[in-house]
Amino acid sequence: MGLEDEENKAEESSEDPKGQGTLSRKNSHSSLCPTEDDEEDEDKKLELGPMIALKEQFEKDKDDESLMRWKEQLLGKVDLEEVGETPDPVVKILNLTIRSPDREDMVLTVPEDGKPTSKGPWFTLKEGSKYTLVFTFRVTNNIVSGLRYSNTVWKTGIKVYGRKEMLGTFSPQAEPYNHVMFEESTPSGMLVRGSYSVKSKFVDDDDKCYLENNYTFDIRKNWL
């Protein structure tokens, strides 16, 4: 979510009229860039060796205390109960929480197929409000490397915002992870109110997609 008011630029030749803002956000060290729906990644990629099941790696070195300590420092405390026999990591996006100082948290369950069942908007944001997105997800079976989030936003069929953000590398564990995005602000004014459609994805360094989430949301004058 979050959208620079690019649609206003298309409708207005120069500066925004008074009262028409753009979605603002604090600077972040995260990797951000405009994206097309299926933007191609960089041509050159680091070629890695074949993946090995994490359980196999730990079993092979279990008698070497120094090596096991080194692996723990490198990987963190891995919950072997959450490790499977196959090398592929499993990532499940559980919840999206929208935090705003103007209201109580909205906690939305993310459906496994990425398609909310509600016929209307999945959620509503108040114009001119500050908010933060928090993704809750669980990693099992193996380490997921370079998990990243991307989304593209459209209004009336026109792309108004695109972004990528690196979440990081995560070891399997029973407790879910929470990733807090930086604070953003919705634009305000009559022209920005209405319905927006979104396509977001969670993919890793191997371009394996764990979730494609398609939904709509509204910007309105007040919270619902």
Side-chain angles (χ1 to χ4, degrees), residues 164-219:
K164 283 184 178 180
E165 178 163 346
M166 178 63 69
L167 276 63
T169 296
F170 302 91
S171 299
Q173 63 177 36
E175 292 298 316
Y177 291 95
N178 288 306
H179 182 82
V180 182
M181 313 289 261
F182 51 83
E183 185 180 75
E184 302 185 62
S185 298
T186 56
S188 60
M190 184 174 62
L191 292 179
V192 302
R193 296 174 200 153
S195 180
Y196 295 79
S197 59
V198 180
K199 175 181 285 188
S200 62
K201 291 183 179 181
F202 292 84
V203 299
D204 65 13
D205 277 346
D206 295 320
D207 288 329
K208 179 179 178 180
C209 182
Y210 296 98
L211 178 73
E212 182 177 305
N213 196 13
N214 298 278
Y215 60 91
T216 62
F217 74 95
D218 283 356
I219 293 180

Side-chain angles (χ1 to χ4, degrees), residues 124-181:
T124 296
L125 298 175
K126 178 184 176 183
E127 63 175 339
S129 62
K130 295 181 178 180
Y131 68 95
T132 303
L133 303 180
V134 183
F135 290 105
T136 302
F137 58 94
R138 194 162 173 247
V139 178
T140 58
N141 205 48
N142 207 338
I143 297 168
V144 58
S145 177
L147 185 65
R148 62 187 186 273
Y149 164 79
S150 66
N151 80 334
T152 307
V153 183
W154 295 268
K155 188 174 191 290
T156 61
I158 300 173
K159 179 186 170 184
V160 295
Y161 186 77
R163 156 183 170 193
K164 283 184 178 180
E165 178 163 346
M166 178 63 69
L167 276 63
T169 296
F170 302 91
S171 299
Q173 63 177 36
E175 292 298 316
Y177 291 95
N178 288 306
H179 182 82
V180 182
M181 313 289 261

Side-chain angles (χ1 to χ4, degrees), residues 56-148:
E56 179 183 340
Q57 295 183 43
F58 275 89
E59 286 293 326
K60 183 169 59 176
D61 303 318
K62 64 181 180 181
D63 296 327
D64 190 329
E65 292 185 8
S66 61
L67 186 55
M68 291 296 288
R69 284 196 300 269
W70 178 81
K71 285 186 175 182
E72 186 171 318
Q73 291 176 352
L74 180 66
L75 304 175
K77 188 66 174 178
V78 175
D79 187 347
L80 293 179
E81 295 297 322
E82 301 299 323
V83 173
E85 301 291 344
T86 60
D88 294 326
V90 177
V91 179
K92 184 176 182 181
I93 313 301
L94 303 173
N95 298 315
L96 166 62
T97 301
I98 302 174
R99 296 176 179 170
S100 175
D102 300 334
R103 56 157 298 150
E104 63 183 16
D105 290 355
M106 287 188 284
V107 182
L108 306 169
T109 300
V110 178
E112 290 190 16
D113 63 359
K115 298 177 182 178
T117 56
S118 60
K119 293 182 179 179
W122 198 23
F123 57 86
T124 296
L125 298 175
K126 178 184 176 183
E127 63 175 339
S129 62
K130 295 181 178 180
Y131 68 95
T132 303
L133 303 180
V134 183
F135 290 105
T136 302
F137 58 94
R138 194 162 173 247
V139 178
T140 58
N141 205 48
N142 207 338
I143 297 168
V144 58
S145 177
L147 185 65
R148 62 187 186 273

Side-chain angles (χ1 to χ4, degrees), residues 5-18 20 191:
D5 199 6
E6 296 180 16
E7 63 168 31
N8 284 357
K9 295 180 183 178
E11 296 173 359
E12 302 160 21
S13 59
S14 56
E15 57 185 349
D16 295 335
K18 187 175 181 181
Q20 301 302 317
L191 292 179

